[in-house]
Amino acid sequence: MTYDISMTQAAPSQDAYIPRNAIDHMNPFFHKSHAHTHTHTHSHKDFLQTPIPRRPSVQIDASVRPSAPSPADSTISTASTAVSYTTPPATPPLAQTPTKSIADAVAWCTARARIPTPDGSEYFLHIYENIKDKKEHLAFVFGDAIRSQSLDRVQWNETELDRVKRGAYTGRLRNTVSDNEQAALDANTPSAYSTGVTDQQQALTSAPLVRIHSECFTGEIGHSARCDCGEQLDEAIRLMKEAGSGVVVYLRQEGRGIGLGEKIKAYNLQDLGYDTVMANLMLNHGADERTYEVAQAILEDLGLNEIRLLTNNPDKIEQVEKDSEIKVVERVPMMPKSWEAIVQGTEAEFVVREGAVQDKVVKGKELDKYLKVKVERMRHMISIPSAMA
């Protein structure tokens, strides 16, 4: 039996070991660069003449030889794969070559999950990361026809389970870890989902409803009557459930972009009589510091080039269409419910509903002042009821 010389060669002598700092001193480029930045208290020549500590030599038993290959192994190729996988064989990687990088994207979807709602409907919540800030922005996606291209893209060395965990599947997941009786029933049920990659999305019959909504803790969670943000979010979700499709792009831009802490300071100034615009200016902020590049990127990732935008704000329309292929084919107004009741003459029947979700309706003098400032100072396209003018 003959062996490759690399298998029997003795280990390199430990006498050849040289510390890293000695190698630096031997480098001819080291002297020039080192001399300009450091003042030496030792001689390079003396350093190299100093005995270098040596590690104890290791004795190798030359009598040990690798075992001879068995006949069964003789037919197996000895070429090793360049990629090593740690995933179970039952879930092989879906790709062995890197896919397109997301480095050029402004925002990309990292995960999604199905969210059931109290009325029996559901939507898919998408989580987006981006290059503009360190926040996770969201997209509430209603209907199966709208899909994230970045989420569906195959990632390096991922398995089918990896794709399921990210939410990169079509259809609905079925329970595979329930009790034995239910598991037996599910085992006979064809899989209701697929992790396969498709370049084609289901065709939308018309431009979907879209609401670009900025986070408002006080209006959505805190039961505040200073604004109608919670009411607008709830109405947008209601309309999309009714239509069977749509997207709420939820941007983490609290207080028109100034943050919750500064927004609370602005509330104190509003209690002194200043309106929302002046309060922001007195805090050295702009009247509206929100940006919409991330919203543009999310809509593009979802393949939405034509949208019906739920908004009263002309600036939002301009910013969404700016430098993008997105076209707002229709503006769908969002009339405050309390003002709508005044116009329709049903104010006496108007019922205020508080809560974080579902049928939230607000009313109050502070809300009316807030809405009038939007119309008079921020170009919002809603009509002030004549009874209030």
Side-chain angles (χ1 to χ4, degrees):
M1 179 66 66
T2 60
Y3 299 94
D4 190 320
I5 186 64
S6 62
M7 297 182 180
T8 60
Q9 185 175 2
S13 171
Q14 298 299 319
D15 295 342
Y17 171 77
I18 301 177
R20 173 64 186 171
N21 59 350
I23 295 175
D24 287 339
H25 283 72
M26 292 178 181
N27 188 338
F29 297 101
F30 173 86
H31 299 284
K32 182 177 180 180
S33 60
H34 204 53
H36 290 293
T37 57
H38 299 283
T39 302
H40 288 302
T41 58
H42 64 273
S43 167
H44 288 179
K45 180 178 179 182
D46 294 340
F47 179 88
L48 293 177
Q49 291 177 349
T50 303
I52 299 171
R54 307 192 188 282
R55 294 181 178 177
S57 59
V58 179
Q59 299 298 324
I60 306 298
D61 187 354
S63 63
V64 178
R65 295 290 186 270
S67 60
S70 65
D73 295 334
S74 60
T75 59
I76 300 176
S77 171
T78 57
S80 61
T81 178
V83 181
S84 176
Y85 300 114
T86 58
T87 53
T91 54
L94 299 180
Q96 296 186 13
T97 55
T99 55
K100 182 180 178 181
S101 172
I102 61 174
D104 297 331
V106 173
W108 55 94
C109 184
T110 59
R112 71 161 192 160
R114 183 182 62 87
I115 307 297
T117 62
D119 63 3
S121 62
E122 62 185 19
Y123 65 89
F124 279 90
L125 183 62
H126 293 56
I127 309 299
Y128 278 86
E129 294 182 358
N130 70 97
I131 63 173
K132 296 294 183 178
D133 55 48
K134 295 182 180 180
K135 299 176 182 178
E136 291 179 324
H137 300 275
L138 315 174
F140 300 62
V141 178
F142 295 83
D144 294 333
I146 303 172
R147 295 196 60 83
S148 164
Q149 300 172 46
S150 60
L151 180 72
D152 285 342
R153 187 179 299 126
V154 175
Q155 296 184 359
W156 168 250
N157 198 26
E158 72 174 351
T159 67
E160 181 178 4
L161 182 58
D162 291 332
R163 292 184 65 78
V164 168
K165 288 188 290 185
R166 290 196 294 114
Y169 61 86
T170 57
R172 298 295 184 272
L173 300 176
R174 63 178 175 85
N175 192 335
T176 59
V177 293
S178 57
D179 57 70
N180 293 336
E181 182 179 353
Q182 183 62 38
L185 294 174
D186 289 343
N188 297 322
T189 303
S191 176
Y193 75 94
S194 170
T195 56
V197 180
T198 176
D199 294 330
Q200 297 182 349
Q201 298 197 47
Q202 300 179 35
L204 291 168
T205 56
S206 61
L209 282 172
V210 169
R211 166 71 182 167
I212 300 176
H213 188 91
S214 294
E215 177 182 36
C216 179
F217 173 83
T218 51
E220 296 160 9
I221 306 299
H223 295 206
S224 171
R226 289 181 183 265
C227 67
D228 62 339
C229 298
E231 178 183 294
Q232 287 185 323
L233 177 61
D234 184 71
E235 177 66 6
I237 291 175
R238 186 190 69 80
L239 291 172
M240 292 174 193
K241 287 180 178 179
E242 188 177 89
S245 68
V247 175
V248 175
V249 177
Y250 190 92
L251 301 177
R252 309 296 297 278
Q253 301 186 123
E254 180 72 56
R256 293 179 185 159
I258 67 175
L260 184 57
E262 293 296 283
K263 175 181 174 180
I264 296 302
K265 295 177 184 177
Y267 280 176
N268 291 326
L269 293 174
Q270 290 172 34
D271 284 345
L272 292 176
Y274 298 101
D275 63 38
T276 55
V277 171
M278 184 56 66
N280 275 24
L281 297 177
M282 291 177 67
L283 292 171
N284 295 320
H285 293 296
D288 190 343
E289 295 187 354
R290 291 174 294 181
T291 60
Y292 297 97
E293 292 94 337
V294 172
Q296 285 179 323
I298 291 175
L299 292 175
E300 290 171 354
D301 179 61
L302 294 172
L304 303 181
N305 294 328
E306 294 187 350
I307 62 174
R308 298 161 56 222
L309 191 61
L310 284 158
T311 187
N312 300 321
N313 186 356
D315 181 63
K316 191 175 292 185
I317 298 173
E318 295 164 5
Q319 294 296 324
V320 168
E321 291 186 335
K322 183 180 179 181
D323 299 327
S324 75
E325 298 180 358
I326 300 170
K327 178 66 176 177
V328 178
V329 298
E330 181 185 355
R331 181 188 74 87
V332 181
M334 301 198 76
M335 187 70 171
K337 293 186 182 296
S338 60
W339 284 15
E340 188 176 47
I342 295 174
V343 172
Q344 295 175 352
T346 60
E347 187 177 9
E349 304 171 9
F350 188 81
V351 178
V352 174
R353 297 187 183 94
E354 294 187 359
V357 294
Q358 193 116 13
D359 298 329
K360 182 180 178 70
V361 177
V362 292
K363 179 184 178 181
K365 292 182 179 179
E366 288 165 304
L367 173 63
D368 292 339
K369 181 179 180 180
Y370 166 84
L371 293 173
K372 290 172 76 173
V373 170
K374 277 187 169 185
V375 175
E376 296 169 352
R377 303 196 64 180
M378 304 184 76
R379 301 191 300 148
H380 280 225
M381 296 180 287
I382 48 178
S383 298
I384 300 175
S386 57
M388 298 176 59

